[in-house]
């Protein structure tokens, strides 16, 4: 990492690189690709075990169809990384990591419905309602959402009840009208309207996309018993990467193919959605995403070497191709 904002922050703090990253070699040799792939495999294995198909099979199959359809598993991985940064271990955070993916998947199932974004493809396969019908797709989403909360409570081990309650509360507000639902309502309201200002666009995405990403990072730290100062820092990191993530999502909708994305590309323009590229253009959008990632990583400086995975994930967010 060698970007202006980050370097400037080090200068302001009168710190040299080697003072932040005590084990420069560890940082230089950190292999994000291997890290992400190992974490993803752990999450996939836990998700596979999370749902047992029983009677009435149809609904469990519909839930599993979308939950086990791949995806980057970014939210669970952020949760695990944040838990480890805060001194916890992967096992403490895995049930919450799975619940985050259940909630995220339910939001994708509902987002793809004809009444919302109306899409036929997601994660490289037909959307849930295209396979199971709208009625079952709505119920599969409902089933995943409700199950996620029970799963966290019943499966989490070695975490105090107080911390667990805080996690449940955080997840709830990230989903509710204070989070995803509120963001989606405004997103629908502004569809086809070009007179949106940047504050409203930011509000939509801070809620629709950012809230669950922030909950992913903060819940990992809560599970590990992090103090308020750490939680605040990680929350600012996550809010910045959340917006950067959405900016790049909008850019990829213009620049990537449907095959690369595993969903229909070019949808935003077709739906006449106001997006970051439509407000700023592609190049400025990328610059803004870069700036947000730098600002996110500045928050992690005090954690020194322990922050290497989260810093690398923030970098990945701006460089990703799908
Ligand atoms: C949550 C109760 C409740 C209802 C849902 C439909 C809805 C309300 C909200 C929409 C939320 C939504 C779909 C936001 C978009 C977030 C986003 C950028 C998704 C893509 O995430 P990736 O790229 O996808 O991480 P993968 O497939 O890799 O997991």
């Amino acid at each position: 990492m060698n970007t202006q904002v980050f370097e400037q922050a080090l200068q302001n703090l009168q710190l040299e690189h080697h003072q932040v990253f005590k084990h420069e070699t560890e940082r230089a040799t950190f292999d994000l690709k291997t890290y992400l792939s190992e974490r993803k495999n752990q999450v996939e294995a836990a998700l596979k075990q999370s749902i047992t198909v029983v009677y009435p099979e149809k609904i469990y199959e519909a839930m599993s169809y979308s939950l086990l359809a791949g995806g980057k598993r970014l939210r669970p991985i952020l949760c695990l990384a944040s838990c480890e940064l805060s001194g916890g271990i992967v096992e403490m955070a895995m049930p919450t990591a799975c619940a985050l993916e259940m909630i995220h998947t339910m939001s994708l199932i509902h987002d793809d419905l004809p009444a919302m974004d109306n899409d036929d493809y997601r994660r490289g396969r037909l959307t849930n309602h295209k396979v199971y019908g709208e009625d079952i797709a709505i119920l599969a989403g409902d089933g995943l959402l409700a199950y996620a909360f029970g799963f966290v409570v019943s499966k989490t081990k070695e975490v105090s009840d107080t911390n667990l309650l805080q996690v449940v509360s955080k997840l709830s507000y990230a989903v509710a009208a204070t989070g995803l639902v509120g963001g989606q309502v405004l997103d629908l309201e502004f569809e086809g309207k070009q007179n949106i200002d940047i504050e409203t666009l930011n509000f939509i995405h801070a809620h629709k996309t950012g809230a669950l990403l922030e909950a992913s990072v903060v819940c990992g730290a809560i599970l590990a018993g992090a103090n308020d100062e750490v939680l605040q820092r990680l929350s600012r990191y996550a809010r910045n990467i959340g917006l950067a993530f959405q900016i790049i999502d909008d850019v990829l909708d213009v620049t990537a193919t449907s095959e690369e994305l595993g969903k229909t590309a070019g949808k935003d323009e077709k739906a006449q959605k106001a997006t970051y590229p439509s407000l700023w253009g592609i190049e400025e959008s990328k610059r803004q995403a870069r700036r947000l990632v730098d600002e996110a990583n500045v928050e992690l400086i005090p954690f020194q070497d322990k922050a290497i995975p989260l810093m690398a994930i923030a970098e990945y967010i701006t460089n990703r191709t799908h």
Side-chain angles (χ1 to χ4, degrees):
M1 187 190 327
N2 189 23
T3 57
Q4 258 183 349
V5 177
F6 191 77
E7 295 304 318
Q8 188 62 54
L10 287 186
Q11 268 183 31
N12 293 347
L13 294 164
Q14 298 184 316
L15 283 170
E16 302 281 338
H17 259 260
H18 70 270
Q19 291 172 290
V20 177
F21 302 110
K22 293 233 160 49
H23 306 98
E24 269 290 342
T25 42
E26 193 179 312
R27 178 170 162 262
T29 55
F30 181 76
D31 179 356
L32 179 68
K33 213 166 155 204
T34 306
Y35 176 87
L36 290 178
S37 131
E38 282 173 6
R39 283 286 182 268
K40 192 173 163 186
N41 289 343
Q42 285 177 297
V43 170
E44 293 296 343
L47 285 173
K48 260 194 203 124
Q49 286 186 357
S50 69
I51 293 184
T52 310
V53 178
V54 290
Y55 181 79
E57 288 84 357
K58 196 202 279 186
I59 188 63
Y60 292 96
E61 281 164 11
M63 288 158 64
S64 303
Y65 173 81
S66 292
L67 185 65
L68 304 180
K72 296 179 284 297
R73 310 307 196 193
L74 186 60
R75 294 150 190 83
I77 293 172
L78 280 169
C79 178
L80 301 177
S82 168
C83 179
E84 284 190 300
L85 175 148
S86 309
I89 54 170
V90 162
E91 289 70 22
M92 278 173 161
M94 192 56 92
T96 303
C98 289
L100 284 157
E101 194 60 33
M102 289 173 196
I103 294 169
H104 170 56
T105 301
M106 83 70 62
S107 80
L108 300 180
I109 296 173
H110 282 197
D111 194 50
D112 291 334
L113 287 167
M116 303 259 182
D117 252 14
N118 192 17
D119 214 323
D120 292 351
Y121 292 96
R122 172 71 71 176
R123 292 176 165 171
R125 48 164 81 178
L126 284 172
T127 43
N128 200 288
H129 66 273
K130 281 281 158 190
V131 177
Y132 295 96
E134 279 181 53
D135 47 2
I136 295 299
I138 292 168
L139 291 168
D142 294 344
L144 282 169
L145 180 60
Y147 184 54
F149 286 89
F151 193 81
V152 171
V153 172
S154 63
K155 302 289 180 191
T156 304
K157 306 261 182 310
E158 313 292 335
V159 171
S160 74
D161 289 352
T162 312
N163 289 351
L164 198 50
L165 275 178
Q166 216 184 324
V167 163
V168 170
S169 163
K170 185 82 194 162
L171 288 175
S172 161
Y173 286 119
V175 174
T178 41
L180 263 83
V181 169
Q184 179 76 350
V185 166
L186 276 189
D187 196 33
L188 292 170
E189 200 175 305
F190 276 92
E191 207 164 293
K193 295 182 189 157
Q194 293 299 311
N195 61 341
I196 192 167
D197 54 47
I198 188 66
E199 286 75 25
T200 311
L201 196 61
N202 283 344
F203 183 96
I204 290 173
H205 295 305
H207 290 75
K208 188 181 150 175
T209 303
L212 199 59
L213 286 168
E214 197 238 0
S216 305
V217 174
V218 171
C219 285
I222 294 172
L223 290 161
N227 65 30
D228 273 353
E229 200 207 317
V230 171
L231 296 181
Q232 293 298 327
R233 262 190 193 281
L234 289 173
S235 168
R236 289 194 293 272
Y237 158 86
R239 277 185 268 141
N240 280 322
I241 64 161
L243 265 193
F245 185 85
Q246 183 61 49
I247 294 173
I248 296 301
D249 216 64
D250 286 0
V251 168
L252 289 174
D253 187 69
V254 182
T255 59
T257 63
S258 298
E259 288 68 37
E260 284 170 315
L261 295 178
K263 61 179 180 178
T264 316
K267 278 210 73 185
D268 293 340
E269 199 186 343
K270 247 196 202 140
Q272 292 192 297
K273 263 195 184 169
T275 62
Y276 290 101
S278 74
L279 278 190
W280 292 331
I282 302 276
E283 286 315 308
E284 180 58 18
S285 298
K286 285 184 182 170
R287 253 194 305 279
Q288 294 286 345
R290 173 77 259 157
R291 180 186 57 78
L292 286 163
V293 164
D294 282 350
E295 285 177 14
N297 282 345
V298 165
E299 294 293 343
L300 303 183
I301 288 174
F303 304 114
Q304 302 181 340
D305 290 356
K306 282 189 290 179
I308 291 172
L310 282 184
M311 285 190 180
I313 293 171
E315 294 294 323
Y316 160 78
I317 281 175
T318 45
N319 298 330
R320 70 196 175 101
T321 54
H322 64 284

